[in-house]
Amino acid sequence: MLRVKQTNKFEGTVRVPGDKSISHRAVMFGALANGTTEIEGFLPGADCLSTIACFRSMGIEIEQQEDRVTVRGKGWYGLQEPVSRLDVGNSGTTIRLMSGILATQPFHAVMEGDESIAKRPMRRVVAPLRQMGAKIDGRREGEFTPLSIRGGELQGIAYTSPVASAQVKSAILLAGLQAKGETTVTEPHLSRDHTERMLQAFGVRVERDGCTVKVQGGQELQARSIQVPGDISSAAFLIAAVMVVPGSSLLIENVGINPTRTGIIDVVQQMGGKLELLNERVVNEEPVADLLVTHSELKGIEIAGDLIPRLIDEIPVIAVMATQASGRTVIRDAEELKVKETDRIATVVGQLRKFGATVTPTEDGMIIEGKTALSGATIDSMGDHRIGMAMAIAGLAASGETVIENDEAIAVSFPGFASLLEQISH
Ligand code: SPQ
């Protein structure tokens, strides 16, 4: 159980753990590459540890000590058939990206995860991979886990995805790397592009044109060292903490500012929050900066369209900030929230109402009225790391004490979250 109380202010210089999306990909691509990949700044969160465990089960030697990882890749076809089911834990990224990789392998593998994974839609990757020639089965005709994959020879496809999803795009591109001919993926809005950038870092040719990405089959990956920047999705909770606690100011160092992920920065600035990017640089094809964040009075705004994939994981904590902003905040075009670790429209609305917030769910988002005085509440993370952390931030803005039950979920993406907050609270 995590207990949260109002604090005078947050102050100091901090770093957040490594980027989750980049950490997963560094392990996966390292395992498939020829040679040894050294990773620094790896996120030792439960999700990325699930990815490591899956590759170890397929015979890849991986040493991990906190944020340092060595992956001894054996080339694309160096994986061995796993003797038991691969456990992806709570990680949607692991199961969806691995579906693309396993679709190319000359063996049979079964993947499953926790209760939340069992409810998340898989047909979005299963259908295009079947079109490429993979044999995949699962509950409800491949919509749900366990997924059983018998890989083999694939044919490249031109796929237009109905959703802007980096997991869908990545699964198809990874399968495409070993398919015959060319594979293209077009999405309605650009989703995060870490796969494209990191494949290039591993020596793969990737062509991009707007929302379309193309790869040619038959490409190998070459090992290389990877430095993972801090996760902007984790930094978002600290940014929000500064915005809801008057007098606060933080320098958050070494944060990834890939433009496909920086919707949170745009939104905070549009709401009137003071947030400056300092010391901008590029590390392993990924832009990085230090974020100087200063408490400001916020105002409500509209969030929709292209912006949504650029901040999809930050919507729970944006909703918390919106309760402390003057006026109305409207979030639209975010129906994808319904298929995350929980239905994040329903959970955000349900949990924020316990604090006394005025929030209305809509078909594709929510409407938040501000500025509302919140009162401390007992909250259930519902096993969703982002809900646990967002509600802890709401607790900082609330009078009295807030208790977050099932707070162990937070370690999925932000181990040390509670102690970091304590360290910077004055
Ligand atoms: O890995 P998982 O469980 O899907 O994690 C989440 C999260 O909140 O951490 C989503 F629930 O992030 C996804 C993100 O929403 C991570 C991700 C990636 O690394 O490719 C892409 C996004 O999902 P999607 O479905 O839009 O591709």
Side-chain angles (χ1 to χ4, degrees):
M1 249 169 10
L2 169 61
R3 291 177 188 279
V4 185
K5 280 197 190 124
Q6 277 183 330
T7 181
N8 283 340
K9 62 178 174 182
F10 288 109
E11 217 169 40
T13 300
V14 280
R15 285 187 174 226
V16 289
D19 187 279
K20 176 158 80 68
S21 297
I22 297 177
S23 296
H24 279 301
R25 287 157 173 84
V27 170
M28 291 181 187
F29 299 177
L32 294 166
N34 296 301
T36 297
T37 290
E38 302 280 357
I39 309 169
E40 269 177 44
F42 174 79
L43 167 68
D47 271 14
C48 300
L49 296 177
S50 294
T51 290
I52 288 185
C54 287
F55 280 92
R56 282 182 176 150
S57 304
M58 291 187 286
I60 302 298
E61 234 179 85
I62 304 176
E63 291 136 43
Q64 181 251 332
Q65 269 197 326
E66 296 180 1
D67 71 342
R68 285 183 169 264
V69 180
T70 304
V71 187
R72 301 193 194 283
K74 297 190 199 160
W76 195 280
Y77 293 108
L79 304 182
Q80 287 163 14
E81 183 167 63
V83 291
S84 50
R85 291 173 177 221
L86 298 170
D87 181 3
V88 304
N90 186 245
S91 177
T93 308
T94 308
I95 193 164
R96 298 212 181 99
L97 268 60
M98 290 229 323
S99 298
I101 294 167
L102 294 174
T104 67
Q105 299 293 329
F107 56 67
H108 174 243
V110 177
M111 287 189 287
E112 67 182 351
D114 66 8
E115 266 174 52
S116 153
I117 281 292
K119 292 186 202 138
R120 295 181 69 182
M122 296 298 150
R123 202 176 287 130
R124 52 179 56 201
V125 290
V126 167
L129 293 172
R130 279 177 177 160
Q131 272 182 42
M132 295 175 84
K135 293 187 181 61
I136 311 187
D137 219 334
R139 272 185 306 127
R140 301 239 202 112
E141 287 164 20
E143 177 65 324
F144 296 116
T145 58
L147 289 186
S148 154
I149 304 187
R150 188 170 286 284
E153 282 190 15
L154 303 181
Q155 185 63 48
I157 49 168
Y159 188 71
T160 301
S161 174
V163 282
S165 159
Q167 295 175 0
V168 171
K169 173 174 64 178
S170 302
I172 300 168
L173 290 176
L174 289 169
L177 286 181
Q178 299 305 321
K180 279 204 200 97
E182 178 177 290
T183 293
T184 63
V185 183
T186 301
E187 44 185 357
H189 302 287
L190 190 61
S191 65
R192 65 191 67 188
D193 66 357
H194 303 300
T195 294
E196 296 90 304
R197 287 174 188 252
M198 200 184 290
L199 282 176
Q200 285 170 323
F202 275 80
V204 169
R205 225 179 61 247
V206 179
E207 291 164 63
R208 309 208 239 174
D209 181 12
C211 291
T212 298
V213 194
K214 191 195 294 183
V215 293
Q216 302 295 332
Q219 301 197 61
E220 285 280 313
L221 279 65
Q222 295 309 326
R224 56 158 304 159
S225 60
I226 293 285
Q227 282 169 287
V228 182
D231 197 326
I232 191 165
S233 296
S234 298
F237 297 105
L238 303 186
I239 296 170
V242 168
M243 292 303 157
V244 303
V245 178
S248 298
S249 161
L250 281 180
L251 179 65
I252 314 171
E253 292 181 328
N254 194 43
V255 180
I257 52 156
N258 180 315
T260 60
R261 299 282 301 281
T262 47
I264 177 69
I265 293 179
D266 297 354
V267 157
V268 166
Q269 289 174 338
Q270 278 171 37
M271 292 176 89
K274 197 163 173 231
L275 197 169
E276 287 171 69
L277 302 187
L278 308 176
N279 193 16
E280 288 186 48
R281 58 225 186 248
V282 175
V283 182
N284 303 132
E285 284 75 26
E286 289 281 353
V288 177
D290 303 333
L291 309 185
L292 181 61
V293 197
T294 313
H295 174 78
S296 323
E297 288 301 319
L298 301 180
K299 58 178 193 301
I301 58 166
E302 293 221 355
I303 303 169
D306 277 7
L307 191 51
I308 294 295
R310 297 179 53 232
L311 49 64
I312 187 76
D313 298 339
E314 285 63 76
I315 290 177
V317 80
I318 289 172
V320 172
M321 280 192 287
T323 68
Q324 301 308 297
S326 59
R328 172 178 289 183
T329 295
V330 181
I331 300 170
R332 286 188 280 110
D333 303 326
E335 47 279 272
E336 274 294 298
L337 288 174
K338 293 181 185 167
V339 292
K340 299 298 182 185
E341 282 81 331
T342 55
D343 172 345
R344 287 181 178 162
I345 296 180
T347 43
V348 167
V349 171
Q351 306 294 326
L352 273 182
R353 281 180 173 168
K354 293 187 184 164
F355 289 96
T358 312
V359 200
T360 313
T362 60
E363 254 318 291
D364 62 351
M366 63 192 84
I367 300 168
I368 306 118
E369 305 290 347
K371 177 176 181 168
T372 321
L374 304 182
S375 337
T378 297
I379 296 296
D380 188 345
S381 78
M382 320 279 282
D384 185 334
H385 52 129
R386 304 221 184 268
I387 297 298
M389 288 185 277
M391 297 309 139
I393 302 303
L396 293 170
S399 59
E401 188 181 68
T402 291
V403 176
I404 312 287
E405 293 175 340
N406 288 317
D407 65 312
E408 64 287 346
I410 291 172
V412 155
S413 65
F414 200 154
F417 170 74
S419 49
L420 184 62
L421 278 188
E422 214 164 283
Q423 188 191 314
I424 54 176
S425 119
H426 292 272

